Amino acid sequence: MLNAGICGFGALGHVHANSLSKLDGVAVKAVCDINPAQLSATEVKFNIAAEQGAFDVKTATPYLDFAQMLAREKLDLVVITTPTNLHADYSIMALDAGCHVFCEKPMSLSVEDCDRVIAARDRNRRQLMIGQCIRFWPEYEYLQACIQDGRYGKLQSLMMERNASYHVEGSWFNDHKRSGGAILDLHVHDVDWALSALGRPDKITARGVIGQTGGVDDITSIWQYGSSTILTIRGSWMYSGFRMGYTAFFENATVEYHPGTNIGFKVSQLWKGAIPGIQIPQESGYFREMRYFLECLRGEHANTRCTPESTRQSIQTALMERAMCLGR
Ligand SMILES: NC(=O)c1ccc[n+]([C@@H]2O[C@H](COP(=O)([O-])OP(=O)(O)OC[C@H]3O[C@@H](n4cnc5c(N)ncnc54)[C@H](O)[C@@H]3O)[C@@H](O)[C@H]2O)c1
């Protein structure tokens, strides 16, 4: 049995606690949050469908201080779901305490911090994975498989989008020094997926708008692969509501994913219409990524799907886009 601790019991703390509760061979023993009210909250509002309601916080020992939780508990793994500016330091604290670490995305707000975390993983010989959940999202896995096996011909162009509204007034998300702004918090999901599915592009052109966080909160990025495949990635915190998805134009079909709309998930062949009966697993990427991480910890396979080195590259790429947006 693996003993888990969670640090930061807000939206994602709940999501991962619920996933862990549904997985065998692991128990959430301790939960830490600096806000005592969070340690008794049973549900949080969240804009993406995820595992709900399986975890009862009363079954875990509550802590207001992360160092104390690490010192007092015998934890095998720690899940870091704090504000982003703490990801690097808290991951390092947990690794140095001998724990494996699953840390939410983005890995950190600088490449230097990513390197510090990777160094801590290496000196402690622990496992580290960043929660880039879109890599494990069934509809995105399907798209990646189409690109890899060419079942609909070559990918010619791909439009990806991720739009949300600003967080409530006073939220740490609204300070780009803590969240990175929409470019590092939201858009990084699509940057990370595109790098993992398609590799590095030959050329990136990015333009953005500075928003309420003081950082780049609206971004349009065009990625070119050779002279043929073009990617357009839109990300914004200036939207009213939440919308994510993609439209992929292959030689012989269009693959679309627009959850919450009447399109949903759809594959249409040129001149023939929608292909019926395509099965997509009904599990969230959050659940699938956590199950994968636990399999890595049990030695069932190595982590080849979401290495810290690859998530470091996503931070580096988003920061490069940010520099273009700021005209640097
Ligand atoms: N993978 C995804 O789809 C996804 C979605 C949303 C958020 N996130 C990421 O998850 C992380 C957390 O986001 P969230 O939406 O859960 O935020 P949140 O504000 O809901 O939760 C963060 C929690 O951390 C607590 N906290 C703050 N400082 C702390 C400290 N020093 N020690 C312990 N607890 C502390 C806060 O009190 C809060 O309860 C962020 O990095 C965010 O980018 C990922």
Side-chain angles (χ1 to χ4, degrees):
M1 182 61 87
L2 294 167
N3 291 333
I6 297 179
C7 184
F9 201 50
L12 264 287
H14 280 256
V15 167
H16 294 310
N18 285 327
S19 294
L20 288 165
S21 296
K22 289 184 177 174
L23 287 159
D24 291 333
V26 62
V28 179
K29 292 285 186 193
V31 173
C32 170
D33 201 294
I34 48 161
N35 178 356
Q38 292 295 101
L39 293 169
S40 54
T42 48
E43 290 234 337
V44 284
K45 282 200 179 142
F46 194 50
N47 53 25
I48 303 178
E51 275 59 37
Q52 284 281 345
F55 177 67
D56 179 357
V57 70
K58 291 196 277 309
T59 60
T61 308
Y63 287 91
L64 296 171
D65 181 74
F66 185 45
Q68 206 171 67
M69 177 169 100
L70 290 175
R72 290 199 187 157
E73 299 285 329
K74 286 197 164 44
L75 299 174
D76 300 296
L77 70 141
V78 169
V79 176
I80 309 281
T81 40
T82 58
T84 302
N85 58 304
L86 300 174
H87 284 185
D89 285 346
Y90 277 31
S91 294
I92 292 167
M93 277 169 76
L95 290 162
D96 284 343
C99 303
H100 302 293
V101 169
F102 180 98
C103 177
E104 254 310 320
K105 52 53 61 180
M107 186 170 181
S108 80
L109 297 175
S110 72
V111 174
E112 293 71 27
D113 274 354
C114 295
D115 288 338
R116 287 198 300 123
V117 183
I118 290 172
R121 173 203 63 183
D122 291 344
R123 74 171 165 266
N124 292 295
R125 297 195 183 152
R126 299 287 86 184
Q127 298 207 41
L128 165 71
M129 189 168 119
I130 308 302
Q132 292 292 170
C133 56
I134 298 300
R135 296 195 197 195
F136 298 85
W137 216 267
E139 289 82 357
Y140 287 83
E141 284 184 352
Y142 181 85
L143 177 59
Q144 184 170 8
C146 295
I147 294 168
Q148 274 165 2
D149 66 21
R151 71 189 76 171
Y152 302 125
K154 186 174 171 304
L155 177 69
Q156 302 186 108
S157 77
L158 170 62
M159 285 162 44
M160 306 183 81
E161 68 167 352
R162 196 165 300 275
N163 303 312
S165 38
Y166 281 111
H167 290 72
V168 292
E169 214 182 320
S171 165
W172 63 270
F173 278 105
N174 295 335
D175 175 1
H176 78 107
K177 294 196 183 96
R178 300 188 75 193
S179 67
I183 191 166
L184 272 163
D185 188 84
L186 185 87
H187 171 72
V188 76
H189 274 299
D190 296 308
V191 166
D192 180 79
W193 182 85
L195 286 172
S196 73
L198 288 153
R200 279 188 164 162
D202 296 300
K203 188 174 177 200
I204 294 181
T205 310
R207 294 291 178 270
V209 180
I210 309 267
Q212 286 177 21
T213 71
V216 176
D217 291 338
D218 184 283
I219 177 164
T220 304
S221 190
I222 299 179
W223 293 22
Q224 279 172 255
Y225 290 86
S227 56
S228 48
T229 304
I230 304 282
L231 228 70
T232 312
I233 317 180
R234 281 270 312 135
S236 185
W237 266 347
M238 300 184 184
Y239 182 65
S240 182
F242 179 75
R243 202 169 78 186
M244 71 173 199
Y246 62 75
T247 308
F249 302 83
F250 288 89
E251 282 172 306
N252 306 317
T254 305
V255 182
E256 290 176 88
Y257 178 49
H258 303 287
T261 73
N262 58 5
I263 295 173
F265 175 76
K266 185 168 151 192
V267 182
S268 316
Q269 273 181 307
L270 279 186
W271 318 120
K272 292 182 190 158
I275 303 175
I278 294 176
Q279 297 297 320
I280 299 290
Q282 296 300 303
E283 290 172 331
S284 77
Y286 302 115
F287 182 74
R288 293 162 77 84
E289 66 181 355
M290 193 56 79
R291 182 171 60 200
Y292 181 83
F293 182 58
L294 293 181
E295 288 165 4
C296 294
L297 297 191
R298 287 192 211 103
E300 291 173 27
H301 51 68
N303 176 6
T304 53
R305 288 193 62 189
C306 194
T307 64
E309 285 76 5
S310 68
T311 50
R312 173 193 185 277
Q313 198 191 345
S314 303
I315 300 298
Q316 192 173 37
T317 304
L319 288 172
M320 194 183 79
E321 290 183 327
R322 185 174 74 177
M324 279 186 203
C325 294
L326 298 176
R328 289 178 191 146

